[in-house]
Amino acid sequence: MGSETTSLEMTDNNNNNIENGGNSGERRPIMGESPSKQQSLRQDFEHAAAETYLITRLAFILLSYLGVGYRWITRVLALLCYAMLLMPGFLQVGYYYFFSSQVHRSVIYGEQPRNRLDLYLPQNTKGRKPVVIFVTGGAWIIGYKAWGSFLGKQFIERDIIVACLDYRNFPQGTISDMIKDVSQGISFVCNNIASCGGDPDRIYLVGQSAGAHISACAILQQSIRESQGESNSWSISQIKAYFALSGGYVMNRYNMLNLVDHFNNRGLYRSIFLSIMEGEKSLVKFSPELLVQDKSIAKAVSMLPPVILFHGTKDHSIPSDASESFADALRKASAHAEVILFEGKTHTDLFVQDPLRGGKDELFEHMVSIVHAGDEDALAKDAMAPPMKRLVPEILLKIAREISPF
């Protein structure tokens, strides 16, 4: 079964090593020695109990923010129906997540309770492999590393290592904590992935929905630090491209308050959203689109990796013009940015329904073609790769699409 890793094989100075992203001079393996079956089972139960307690406690705190309003209740019911309709696919992916020997769950990358990542390793262990770091969405509230399990499965079938990051959600943390966690997770992967056969100079960052916003903030902050000559545990040059799926990037007062109203009407209440973003006065600080227009950080913007933005034109959670506007701002600041729009696709089509449908996934294939660019052997294998297996009947996918609360 998949391994649950709750500790790292590090030096005695473990805490300092983690804080510095694992960069201790000597490269250490991410995974420690495999525990015995009895120890592994005990660790699984202990970890499950700790996670259950944490999630329950945070749910009650969140309820104190939400109250029990009509809109919130209808959204929860829609989410439950949506999950039930897609359950045939979720069960298959869940079985893979918990029982595949290629999935190493809950690798510790920091000291916070949610500082964990899931590592997906290809069966082929020959040669240095490109690496994808995935940051999941979840409205800054319900993000979890396991949401990336199907994407991880897809990538390792193409000989690409995947690290799915977990991070503190609200109310456990606010946006600053989320950005800090993601940056620390990226640092950890950059400094340790070579021990698992990954190439630390061929890392690709993928962010989805809220995760796209958090990731954009993280790489921009990293570029600013490097442009100012600060010492860092990882370099923005290690990120070869940034793929953003269905994200929002404008946090200035006028535009963001319009988006706040949009979210409020869809069940993410104004008071909660502003609490996540640390108040109205902080909106500009967490707006990547506005920040890249600041000429005082032009050098930092020029250091950003190529940015490829994917968005569905029927996205009702975050309209597709969010990606178009961000790309336009990046290009005006002399950064490389590209927008790829998917006609008629919703917020969940690109990341959930389309992969569960099987066949050739256009978005996934586009990302793989960039990751494998210049590698003729890998591209030839990609061209011969069989289509993905359908996991959910079409009728259930269509109904789920209609009732999705996202």
Side-chain angles (χ1 to χ4, degrees):
M1 63 184 291
S3 60
E4 183 88 18
T5 303
T6 56
S7 62
L8 302 174
E9 187 178 310
M10 293 290 187
T11 61
D12 291 335
N13 191 20
N14 191 46
N15 288 339
N16 291 334
N17 192 31
I18 290 176
E19 290 172 0
N20 290 318
N23 188 11
S24 60
E26 179 184 359
R27 190 173 300 282
R28 302 286 181 171
I30 289 180
M31 311 301 294
E33 294 182 358
S34 299
S36 67
K37 185 175 182 180
Q38 184 176 4
Q39 287 176 321
S40 179
L41 197 60
R42 186 185 74 250
Q43 289 174 347
D44 282 349
F45 279 117
E46 290 175 349
H47 181 73
E51 290 288 299
T52 301
Y53 170 75
L54 174 64
I55 292 170
T56 303
R57 182 171 64 85
L58 294 178
F60 278 109
I61 296 173
L62 184 59
L63 280 172
S64 70
Y65 282 89
L66 288 169
V68 188
Y70 170 78
R71 187 182 297 121
W72 182 79
I73 291 174
T74 57
R75 292 294 173 186
V76 170
L77 291 176
L79 178 60
L80 291 174
C81 292
Y82 177 78
M84 289 300 296
L85 287 165
L86 300 181
M87 193 58 67
F90 291 163
L91 288 174
Q92 294 176 71
V93 176
Y95 183 86
Y96 167 81
Y97 177 70
F98 284 106
F99 294 101
S100 173
S101 61
Q102 293 175 268
V103 183
H104 301 267
R105 293 176 282 115
S106 294
V107 177
I108 298 170
Y109 70 78
E111 295 181 329
Q112 296 297 326
R114 298 290 293 273
N115 287 174
R116 305 288 187 271
L117 63 84
D118 292 331
L119 192 66
Y120 297 76
L121 299 177
Q123 288 183 335
N124 175 19
T125 60
K126 295 180 180 178
R128 292 288 192 199
K129 304 184 186 304
V131 181
V132 163
I133 299 175
F134 176 68
V135 183
T136 185
W140 301 274
I141 293 174
I142 58 171
Y144 187 57
K145 55 188 173 61
W147 301 166
S149 55
F150 193 61
L151 188 67
K153 182 177 185 296
Q154 287 177 287
F155 272 120
I156 64 172
E157 288 175 354
R158 300 297 182 90
D159 222 21
I160 299 167
I161 293 174
V162 179
C164 293
L165 301 184
D166 210 2
Y167 55 89
R168 283 171 285 179
N169 288 186
F170 184 80
Q172 191 179 17
T174 58
I175 186 65
S176 292
D177 301 311
M178 301 176 201
I179 295 169
K180 179 180 178 182
D181 288 352
V182 167
S183 183
Q184 189 172 6
I186 294 172
S187 174
F188 182 88
V189 173
C190 287
N191 285 287
N192 290 277
I193 201 64
S195 65
C196 294
D199 186 342
D201 292 317
R202 279 197 299 161
I203 295 177
Y204 298 80
L205 182 63
V206 180
Q208 185 262 335
S209 191
H213 167 247
I214 297 166
S215 301
C217 290
I219 60 172
L220 187 54
Q221 288 185 8
Q222 178 69 14
S223 291
I224 292 172
R225 286 192 293 267
E226 289 189 31
S227 70
Q228 295 173 345
E230 294 184 23
S231 177
N232 295 285
S233 58
W234 62 286
S235 172
I236 195 69
S237 64
Q238 293 176 272
I239 309 298
K240 299 308 176 190
Y242 170 49
F243 304 112
L245 286 57
S246 310
Y249 314 96
V250 183
M251 307 292 168
N252 71 322
R253 178 178 170 80
Y254 174 74
N255 289 302
M256 194 55 189
L257 290 183
N258 285 343
L259 194 54
V260 169
D261 290 335
H262 175 76
F263 284 144
N264 186 77
N265 292 333
R266 295 188 66 79
L268 181 55
Y269 297 149
R270 174 187 297 266
S271 61
I272 298 176
F273 192 84
L274 292 178
S275 295
I276 293 170
M277 295 297 157
E278 302 172 7
E280 290 184 24
K281 293 182 179 180
S282 296
L283 292 179
V284 172
K285 179 181 177 183
F286 301 115
S287 171
E289 180 178 326
L290 283 182
L291 292 175
V292 299
Q293 298 175 49
D294 184 349
K295 296 188 183 303
S296 69
I297 64 166
K299 181 180 178 181
V301 175
S302 70
M303 297 167 64
L304 290 172
V307 177
I308 301 93
L309 302 152
F310 302 96
H311 223 120
T313 60
K314 294 294 185 181
D315 190 329
H316 300 299
S317 293
I318 303 175
S320 58
D321 59 8
S323 288
E324 293 181 283
S325 181
F326 185 36
D328 185 56
L330 284 165
R331 287 191 289 257
K332 287 180 179 178
S334 300
H336 175 85
E338 178 184 1
V339 181
I340 298 175
L341 298 179
F342 294 84
E343 190 64 34
K345 298 295 185 180
T346 68
H347 194 69
T348 55
D349 278 335
L350 296 179
F351 186 65
V352 183
Q353 285 96 264
D354 284 354
L356 292 176
R357 180 171 283 110
K360 287 287 185 179
D361 185 334
E362 186 180 351
L363 185 152
F364 173 73
E365 294 296 340
H366 194 100
M367 289 192 290
V368 170
S369 69
I370 294 175
V371 173
H372 281 158
D375 187 337
E376 296 301 326
D377 289 340
L379 290 172
K381 291 179 181 178
D382 291 337
M384 299 297 293
M388 292 185 295
K389 173 186 174 184
R390 176 184 284 275
L391 300 183
V392 177
E394 187 64 26
I395 183 64
L396 297 183
L397 290 170
K398 288 182 177 179
I399 298 173
R401 184 181 195 267
E402 294 301 317
I403 68 170
S404 170
F406 302 107

